[in-house]
Amino acid sequence: MRKLQSAHGGRDPGAVYNGRQEKDDVLRLTLAVGEILQNNGIDVEYTRTTDIYESPLQKAMEANEAGVDLFISIHRNSFPTENTAFGVESLVYDLSGLKLEIAESIDQQLETIGFRDLGVKARPNLVVLRRTNMPAVLVEVGFINSDVDNELFDANFDDIALAIAEGILDVLRSQGLVPDAPGQGTGGGNVPGGSAAPGYRVQVGAFRNQQYAGRLLNELLEQDFPAYLIDSGDYIRVQVGDYADMNQAVEMERRLKREGYQTVLIRG
């Protein structure tokens, strides 16, 4: 079971810019992310689904009492000078473990939408990261006082929700903590050479948006990776290679990781 925290709420608007309130943006986004996770078989609990206020400590204690195994807190960032800072970043208690992998995965997915990736940072003093008993990630989805980030947020809202959900799901699947998505693992596809029964492949991304999948495909091809697309219906998957020998697939996965890609090894 996963806990999704929508930051602020009620009397606490969070960051505000030109009448725009953080609490509204993050509630809408949290509910959208939660819906995608639920559609992928994840049991989701929310700290709030309406405009109410609870302190960060209350939210952390609720998660502990519910016994959830992952805590995701969704925010919008702010900077003292408007239209100066922009980008996404994720915060964790320390730079280790499952929480770090998920934070990096979420940031990488959001970068494909057009946000600048500011990286993952350790913030051991934050209550929702310090007082939760499970891996916890706080995601700052762009700066609310950046017109550039707000334009990205509004124009790509559905894709942002999907990016966060996929960032979480990709890591959980790679760790064997949740089942593979439909069409992944045993499914076929238009792999190079028309092979109906591929052996081992490396998945580098999964998107609903054809443009984002194509962008990643072209980036990989420019680096001479044998990449291709598989359209399984719900998702367009960007994969590399078609190997009968698992050792070859593992070596390709290592190469991709060295180049900074988030990968999943698939046996088909």
Side-chain angles (χ1 to χ4, degrees):
M1 179 166 53
R2 278 78 194 175
K3 191 84 166 180
L4 287 178
Q5 179 203 330
S6 176
H8 309 288
R11 67 177 185 270
D12 175 14
V16 177
Y17 175 62
N18 288 342
R20 184 173 193 142
Q21 300 185 95
E22 180 184 4
K23 69 173 184 177
D24 298 327
D25 280 0
V26 297
L27 177 58
R28 190 162 63 101
L29 183 56
T30 298
L31 295 176
V33 172
E35 182 179 3
I36 296 169
L37 292 174
Q38 288 172 319
N39 289 339
N40 280 270
I42 303 297
D43 186 9
V44 175
E45 285 202 8
Y46 302 91
T47 58
R48 70 181 179 101
T49 57
T50 58
D51 187 19
I52 62 171
Y53 174 78
E54 287 185 333
S55 71
L57 180 59
Q58 285 177 290
K59 293 172 181 178
M61 293 302 100
E62 285 178 7
N64 293 339
E65 290 169 7
V68 301
D69 48 19
L70 179 64
F71 187 91
I72 304 293
S73 182
I74 297 178
H75 292 248
R76 303 275 328 264
N77 220 333
S78 186
F79 194 75
T81 308
E82 63 188 47
N83 291 309
T84 301
F86 56 94
V88 297
E89 64 180 354
S90 290
L91 310 178
V92 292
Y93 180 78
D94 58 43
L95 301 177
S96 68
L98 182 68
K99 61 186 179 297
L100 175 60
E101 290 188 51
I102 290 174
E104 291 175 337
S105 180
I106 291 172
D107 286 2
Q108 288 166 9
Q109 290 279 359
L110 289 171
E111 187 179 25
T112 69
I113 292 171
F115 288 105
R116 179 186 179 190
D117 183 1
L118 299 175
V120 180
K121 299 176 178 63
R123 290 289 188 272
N125 59 318
L126 295 179
V127 170
V128 295
L129 303 180
R130 186 179 77 249
R131 299 297 297 272
T132 43
N133 295 335
M134 69 294 301
V137 178
L138 189 154
V139 186
E140 298 275 13
V141 189
F143 285 77
I144 200 168
N145 59 349
S146 161
D147 293 335
V148 171
D149 281 355
N150 285 337
E151 183 177 348
L152 279 169
F153 188 94
D154 294 335
N156 302 278
F157 179 84
D158 290 339
D159 291 320
I160 290 168
L162 179 62
I164 295 172
E166 279 297 305
I168 297 166
L169 289 166
D170 281 353
V171 175
L172 296 181
R173 289 169 185 151
S174 71
Q175 297 287 333
L177 299 175
V178 296
D180 286 342
Q184 180 174 309
T186 58
N190 297 321
V191 298
S195 171
Y200 299 91
R201 294 168 280 149
V202 183
Q203 184 161 298
V204 189
F207 304 88
R208 289 187 189 273
N209 188 300
Q210 177 77 42
Q211 178 182 351
Y212 301 144
R215 184 186 301 167
L216 178 56
L217 174 67
N218 291 335
E219 181 181 308
L220 291 166
L221 291 173
E222 287 174 1
Q223 298 175 76
D224 294 324
F225 287 110
Y228 51 90
L229 299 181
I230 291 182
D231 189 345
S232 62
D234 290 337
Y235 297 96
I236 303 165
R237 305 183 185 280
V238 184
Q239 298 184 349
V240 172
D242 179 17
Y243 305 101
D245 184 343
M246 184 177 71
N247 291 329
Q248 291 178 304
V250 169
E251 178 56 32
M252 176 57 72
E253 185 180 31
R254 288 173 179 162
R255 282 183 55 198
L256 287 159
K257 283 184 179 294
R258 284 196 297 268
E259 294 299 322
Y261 294 104
Q262 193 80 19
T263 63
V264 178
L265 188 63
I266 295 173
R267 183 176 181 179

